[in-house]
Amino acid sequence: MTWTPGAARAARRIAAAAAVGGGGLTALGVATYGVLLAEALVARRIVGRPHGMEGPPSDGLYGDFPGEPIRMVMLGDSTSVGLGTTDPAETPAVLIASGLAVVAERPVRLTVVGKSGAASAELGEQVDQALDADPEIAVIFIGANDVTTQTLPAQAVRHLQKAVRRLREAGAEVVVGTCPDLGTVRPIVQPLRWVTRRWSRQLAAAQTVAVVEAGGRTVAFADLLGAEFDANPAEMFGPDRFHPSVQGYLQVAYAVLPSVGSALGLWPEPRVRRSESIYLAAAMAAEEPGTEVSATRVAGRATGPHGRWVTMFRRRPGAPPHDA
């Protein structure tokens, strides 16, 4: 991991600004802002939108098991709807729901309210729809469009935290896949790649702080979940070279499923758990794909000298529960 103390401080400043309604830290200086806009326009032309803007309809009942269905909702952006896939079974929402059904040995009733192109500011409307399904578990993938639209991190985090709190108050467990590192997207060139990497990871760290404070848990997407995306971009990215391929979405689902199971008490927690202050853990997780962060207590206390105590650990994607 290549985290620095400065990254932890940045996460703390963004989270603090979100709490008081300020603009917060931006990853862009005035000198680089114009360069970013120019490079972003070039990247958008290169990436294009060959998939359209809709994922395949995925609402339904998954898992051929008896019993009362577990109610799951999926919120977020284009990755939440599996943009680029044509078969609902290939979307991350259905992959997670199907895996959850096997773990629980109960059917899962899935409702997808995510929307391609959505930023964190649109989560409020999605939560309104999600609450109609009376969810037991909510999964959120969000953040990439906050970066591409140059939304101030504190503003984005504030919307996300409010969404998580509303879902938790309604009785749902919440798992958030944090902002992926857009610096891994090949059509994005320097200096835009460096800027988006910095902004993506600062936002991901701040998201972790906000989500845990609101009662949820996070899974770091970092560099889109591993060296596979960097080493095999033709396989792991779809035709637009921006969204994951079918294999890429499978990796995403494998990374998130254990945390969904744990949130519902269906997946054993790892035996080795590392306790850290929330800001340090958030910065470290933003650099390490697949790392889960959730609240804990140390010596009976929820907070320490540097903020809330959390546990962080990385589950091996695709591993069975006993090998977490």
Side-chain angles (χ1 to χ4, degrees), residues 217-301:
R217 63 181 70 196
T218 60
V219 178
F221 281 179
D223 53 353
L224 280 177
L225 301 178
E228 296 94 338
F229 279 85
D230 190 52
N232 303 300
E235 178 182 353
M236 305 305 286
F237 284 105
D240 66 356
R241 294 185 288 167
F242 185 85
H243 293 92
S245 64
V246 171
Q247 183 62 32
Y249 280 127
L250 187 62
Q251 288 291 99
V252 170
Y254 277 168
V256 174
L257 176 59
S259 296
V260 170
S262 288
L264 292 171
L266 300 170
W267 197 292
E269 300 286 4
R271 290 181 292 273
V272 178
R273 297 162 62 87
R274 179 173 179 175
S275 297
E276 296 283 2
S277 72
I278 190 169
Y279 302 108
L280 180 59
M284 295 172 71
E287 303 288 343
E288 183 70 13
T291 301
E292 179 187 306
V293 179
S294 58
T296 192
R297 289 178 174 269
V298 174
R301 296 179 179 272

Side-chain angles (χ1 to χ4, degrees), residues 187-212:
I188 299 178
V189 299
Q190 299 291 13
L192 179 60
R193 179 177 293 183
W194 180 86
V195 174
T196 54
R197 167 162 286 157
R198 181 172 173 232
W199 200 345
S200 298
R201 297 198 176 195
Q202 286 183 352
L203 177 58
Q207 285 177 319
T208 294
V209 174
V211 169
V212 173

Side-chain angles (χ1 to χ4, degrees), residues 46 112 125 167 267:
I46 294 172
V112 179
E125 182 179 344
L167 289 163
W267 197 292

Side-chain angles (χ1 to χ4, degrees), residues 48-111:
R49 286 180 175 173
H51 301 311
M53 290 294 287
E54 301 292 336
S58 302
D59 288 9
L61 191 66
Y62 296 93
D64 186 16
F65 297 98
E68 185 69 18
I70 297 172
R71 300 179 300 280
M72 171 182 160
V73 294
M74 189 79 176
L75 305 86
D77 54 25
S78 56
T79 56
S80 74
V81 302
L83 187 66
T85 61
T86 56
D87 184 345
E90 297 172 340
T91 65
V94 173
L95 289 167
I96 295 169
S98 299
L100 178 59
V102 172
V103 172
E105 297 184 339
R106 288 171 54 191
V108 174
R109 186 172 301 282
L110 173 65
T111 302

